[in-house]
Amino acid sequence: MLNMIPAAIMPLADYTDSKLSFFPESASTFSSDSDWIFYFISIVALIFFIAIVIALFGFTVKYKKAKGMAAESQTDHNTTIELVWSIGPSFLLIVMFYFGAQGYLAHRTIPEGSYELGVDAYKWGWGINYGKFVIHPELHVVAGEPTKLTMTSSDVIHSLYIPAFRVKKDIVPGRYNYMWFKATKPSEKVVTDEELEQLAAKDAETNASWNYDERQFTPDGYTFYDLYCTEYCGTNHSEMQTVVVVHETRADLDAWIKKYSKRASTESPASYGQKLYERRGCKTCHSIDGTKVGYVGPTWKDLAGTSRPLANGDEVLADENYLRESILNPKAKIAAGYQPVMPSYKGQLTDDDIYSLVEYIKSLSESGSGGEAEADAGEGTEEDTSPGANDEQAGDEAAQ
């Protein structure tokens, strides 16, 4: 029973082998300092708690009077004892304040030249902006290099928390918040590419999403650290989780970013659109099986090619133009029965990304058609939709 106490009170975070540890694995330069000051304050508080409780019971016994005896007045005092118990603990408080303030300033002072990433928090997911239209729910950083996160929220207050790094910061709508850390322990690649391909094929057959908790590695085969939202932000707040992967070198990270920068020439637009549905947070608001409960947006099942009633009483054909407009300017035509809460993805998706999403939505309809209108997004080949100069500029802006 006693060996279960630490596990019961420790944060629901990264797994640790030690049954005596109150904390998850230490994986940043902040971890050791935060743990040290926590243990120091906890031990001091425990020592004083035990001493005060013993004194309380001791005085209760010493000055106990028999029933019916009158209480005696205690007006005397001992100046020496009063000075000791007043001034003595004050030095401990000063020591606690010094190390606490030192840690606070270290978290607030962002080193120049830090590797910068954008973070967009929304109900209920994360979008990490690596620039040039590469936005992914996983946070990938480099070991040994300071990383700066520029964080925004598109709806309500969220709070980014990485237990293994001992960092946490609220994200408030309408303003930029910043966080930095230096990861110290690189993630390991524990699965071969062949095994990953087999797992991906298995998931595709069963239409299953990647299960991080069950497999304990990412779709790229890396071990990871947990990342949570710690500000209650709505009914699906508990699902607002993602992972942090620490690469050994900047070259490894750049290779990973390049992998997700655009659709491979051998991949169909609908298949790539399904991946974007998973990565870009679409799945948190839109179901693909017709389910409405628990989703703030209309389902994508049988959406394309059908007539959609709008909140203003009109109707619209859900063709390619309507789908494209709903992605770039979602408040232009609000579906009946839903609130205008979807953010615009303008500047966050390439033309090929939008085309792929539209093709994926069309594949979810029995007719497989988005109507007679031709989408002006182009035919979506890798060569003619690669981000151009304007796209790269927009991507860099989105990363800020």
Side-chain angles (χ1 to χ4, degrees):
M1 177 66 76
L2 292 178
N3 62 358
M4 297 177 62
I5 294 177
I9 62 178
M10 70 176 291
L12 296 176
D14 304 87
Y15 176 78
T16 176
D17 293 329
S18 173
K19 296 182 181 297
L20 300 178
S21 176
F22 287 93
F23 298 112
E25 183 178 4
S26 171
S28 84
T29 53
F30 290 139
S31 303
S32 58
D33 291 341
S34 296
D35 294 354
W36 178 87
I37 192 66
F38 175 85
Y39 284 122
F40 172 68
I41 294 175
S42 297
I43 291 172
V44 169
L46 182 62
I47 292 174
F48 273 83
F49 173 76
I50 294 174
I52 291 172
V53 170
I54 291 175
L56 176 66
F57 281 97
F59 291 146
T60 301
V61 174
K62 180 178 179 179
Y63 296 107
K64 180 181 179 183
K65 297 293 184 183
K67 188 175 183 180
M69 292 184 64
E72 296 179 6
S73 174
Q74 301 290 333
T75 57
D76 197 8
H77 69 281
N78 187 312
T79 303
T80 302
I81 292 177
E82 291 177 357
L83 288 175
V84 169
W85 75 39
S86 299
I87 298 176
S90 298
F91 285 105
L92 285 174
L93 292 177
I94 292 173
V95 172
M96 294 177 187
F97 174 80
Y98 171 78
F99 286 107
Q102 192 178 49
Y104 173 78
L105 292 176
H107 281 256
R108 295 284 295 179
T109 307
I110 301 174
E112 292 187 6
S114 299
Y115 182 66
E116 297 191 32
L117 295 173
V119 177
D120 181 28
Y122 55 87
K123 295 189 295 185
W124 290 272
W126 305 93
I128 313 302
N129 196 328
Y130 297 90
K132 299 182 180 178
F133 297 101
V134 180
I135 300 177
H136 198 282
E138 297 176 0
L139 174 59
H140 286 244
V141 300
V142 181
E145 291 188 13
T147 300
K148 174 186 175 183
L149 302 182
T150 301
M151 306 182 293
T152 61
S153 171
S154 56
D155 37 53
V156 299
I157 298 176
H158 300 280
S159 186
L160 189 149
Y161 175 42
I162 308 174
F165 294 175
R166 312 293 193 267
V167 291
K168 175 180 176 296
K169 195 68 171 289
D170 285 352
I171 308 174
V172 182
R175 61 177 296 182
Y176 290 110
N177 269 13
Y178 304 94
M179 169 192 287
W180 85 276
F181 53 80
K182 183 189 291 185
T184 55
K185 293 185 178 179
S187 302
E188 299 180 15
K189 189 160 186 177
V190 294
V191 182
T192 65
D193 292 339
E194 291 183 355
E195 292 172 324
L196 290 172
E197 291 178 0
Q198 294 174 357
L199 290 172
K202 181 180 178 181
D203 288 345
E205 291 178 357
T206 58
N207 198 27
S209 299
W210 188 266
N211 191 322
Y212 289 91
D213 289 334
E214 179 182 318
R215 292 170 177 165
Q216 287 297 303
F217 53 85
T218 70
D220 299 301
Y222 291 102
T223 58
F224 58 81
Y225 304 102
D226 293 316
L227 188 157
Y228 299 109
C229 173
T230 53
E231 185 74 34
Y232 180 72
C233 53
T235 53
N236 291 339
H237 159 73
S238 62
E239 298 179 7
M240 194 169 170
Q241 305 176 23
T242 185
V243 299
V244 183
V245 175
V246 180
H247 294 265
E248 289 190 359
T249 64
R250 178 67 70 85
D252 290 341
L253 174 59
D254 291 341
W256 180 85
I257 294 174
K258 184 178 181 181
K259 177 181 178 181
Y260 290 93
S261 62
K262 58 185 177 182
R263 175 166 60 93
S265 58
T266 56
E267 186 168 21
S268 70
S271 173
Y272 191 63
Q274 183 178 13
K275 292 179 179 177
L276 292 175
Y277 170 81
E278 299 278 345
R279 297 172 192 163
R280 306 303 288 272
C282 309
K283 65 178 183 179
T284 62
C285 300
H286 303 280
S287 73
I288 56 175
D289 60 358
T291 303
K292 296 181 179 179
V293 178
Y295 294 90
V296 299
T299 180
W300 285 3
K301 177 69 174 176
D302 294 329
L303 167 62
T306 61
S307 180
R308 310 291 297 181
L310 301 179
N312 61 7
D314 296 338
E315 289 193 359
V316 64
L317 176 65
D319 57 12
E320 288 93 337
N321 285 323
Y322 168 75
L323 297 176
R324 178 183 171 84
E325 182 184 49
S326 297
I327 294 171
L328 298 178
N329 186 14
K331 293 180 175 57
K333 295 182 177 67
I334 307 300
Y338 295 93
Q339 298 296 317
V341 295
M342 176 173 165
S344 170
Y345 280 79
K346 187 176 182 179
Q348 299 185 34
L349 295 169
T350 65
D351 281 346
D352 186 61
D353 290 343
I354 298 171
Y355 173 69
S356 298
L357 281 170
V358 170
E359 289 299 302
Y360 176 56
I361 295 173
K362 289 166 61 178
S363 72
L364 298 173
S365 297
E366 291 186 359
S367 63
S369 171
E372 299 298 329
E374 292 293 336
D376 55 3
E379 292 303 319
T381 61
E382 182 184 5
E383 291 74 13
D384 62 9
T385 58
S386 299
N390 293 334
D391 290 345
E392 292 184 356
Q393 181 180 357
D396 292 338
E397 293 172 355
Q400 301 305 313

